[in-house]
């Protein structure tokens, strides 16, 4: 029974760990990518250091080779002058320098092989890191879209349809207001029918719109004459 309880607790702990990882996958991924980027940078520095050390070994080998050539020439000159003792010293020094030169060239070859391997590994790491960064950006975009879809009021993105309908109604009302304003402007700019009728009546075209004092006086005279 105790063993089963322990197994159950371990199972629950594993589920909780996975759930935590799922909830915080993006920040965990971001940190892992930062760690990987630091690792790639460290690898670049290691390659640069290996290249520098290889160049030092190359310069050392060239210097040893130069010394050996110089001592050989001087040893030959000593023999020509019958100085066996000096030639023997030169030979001993040349033997020692040749051993150093052989070691230097061996180290140089090992550095060259190691540098090639490191460069290849760094290139592969850089390619994988670039792919991870692209994947992180894509995952972040998908997560934002998912959150927008999940958190939108009215479930899914129903509010977008409502907003579009509201915009259509608003645009319709605005268009009606614009057309009404244009019509009022046209009416205001056109001739006034009442003013035109007064102008025509004053010119004797049609019935006068205003009764004159002369007309009233003539009417009164006619009434007065009719009573006599």
């Amino acid at each position: 029974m105790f063993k089963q309880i322990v197994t159950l607790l371990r199972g629950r702990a594993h589920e909780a760990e996975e759930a935590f990882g799922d909830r915080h996958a993006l920040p965990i991924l971001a940190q892992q990518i930062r760690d990987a980027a630091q690792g790639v940078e460290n690898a670049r520095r290691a390659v640069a250091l290996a290249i520098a050390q290889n160049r030092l070994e190359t310069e050392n080998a060239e210097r040893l080779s130069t010394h050996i050539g110089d001592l050989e020439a001087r040893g030959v000159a000593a023999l020509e002058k019958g100085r066996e003792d000096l030639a023997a010293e030169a030979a001993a020094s040349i033997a020692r320098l040749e051993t150093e030169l052989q070691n230097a060239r061996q180290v140089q070859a090992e550095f060259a092989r190691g540098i090639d391997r490191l460069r290849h590994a760094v290139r592969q790491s850089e390619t994988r890191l670039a792919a991870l960064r692209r994947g992180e950006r894509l995952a972040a975009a998908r997560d934002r879209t998912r959150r927008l879809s999940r958190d939108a009021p009215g479930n899914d993105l129903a509010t977008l349809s409502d907003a579009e309908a509201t915009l259509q109604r608003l645009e319709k009302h605005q268009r009606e207001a614009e057309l009404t304003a244009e019509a009022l402007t046209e009416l205001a700019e056109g001739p006034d029918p009442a003013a035109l009728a007064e102008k025509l009546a004053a010119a004797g075209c049609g019935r006068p719109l205003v009764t004159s004092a002369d007309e009233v006086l003539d009417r009164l005279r006619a009434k007065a004459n009719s009573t006599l």
Side-chain angles (χ1 to χ4, degrees), residues 33 36-48 117-135 137:
I33 289 176
Q38 185 60 50
V40 171
E41 181 61 25
N42 293 339
R44 288 197 193 101
R45 292 181 181 276
V47 172
R117 289 194 301 268
L118 285 173
R119 280 177 169 167
H120 181 68
V122 168
R123 284 194 295 268
Q124 284 186 330
S125 298
E126 289 173 342
T127 301
R128 293 171 63 187
L129 180 61
L132 277 172
R133 283 172 170 164
R134 289 193 298 270
R137 291 193 294 270

Side-chain angles (χ1 to χ4, degrees), residues 210-225:
V210 180
T211 303
S212 65
D214 293 336
E215 290 176 343
V216 174
L217 181 59
D218 290 341
R219 189 173 67 249
L220 293 176
R221 285 174 179 169
K223 287 183 177 181
N225 291 332

Side-chain angles (χ1 to χ4, degrees), residues 1 10 27-28 47 93 117 147 171 175 207 223:
M1 183 66 179
R10 290 175 58 195
I28 290 173
V47 172
S93 182
R117 289 194 301 268
R147 290 176 183 274
E171 290 176 344
R175 184 57 180 162
R207 181 181 61 81
K223 287 183 177 181

Side-chain angles (χ1 to χ4, degrees), residues 15-74:
E15 290 178 357
E17 181 180 355
E18 286 191 341
F20 179 84
D22 291 340
R23 287 195 304 271
H24 304 284
L26 277 177
I28 290 173
L29 175 62
Q31 184 57 46
Q32 289 172 336
I33 289 176
R34 284 191 291 269
D35 293 340
Q38 185 60 50
V40 171
E41 181 61 25
N42 293 339
R44 288 197 193 101
R45 292 181 181 276
V47 172
L49 178 59
I51 291 173
Q53 291 173 340
N54 187 41
R55 288 175 180 173
L56 287 175
E57 292 297 332
T58 301
E59 293 174 358
N60 184 42
E62 291 174 353
R63 185 170 57 254
L64 290 172
S65 181
T66 301
H67 287 335
I68 290 171
D70 180 65
L71 286 175
E72 284 181 347
R74 294 180 186 278

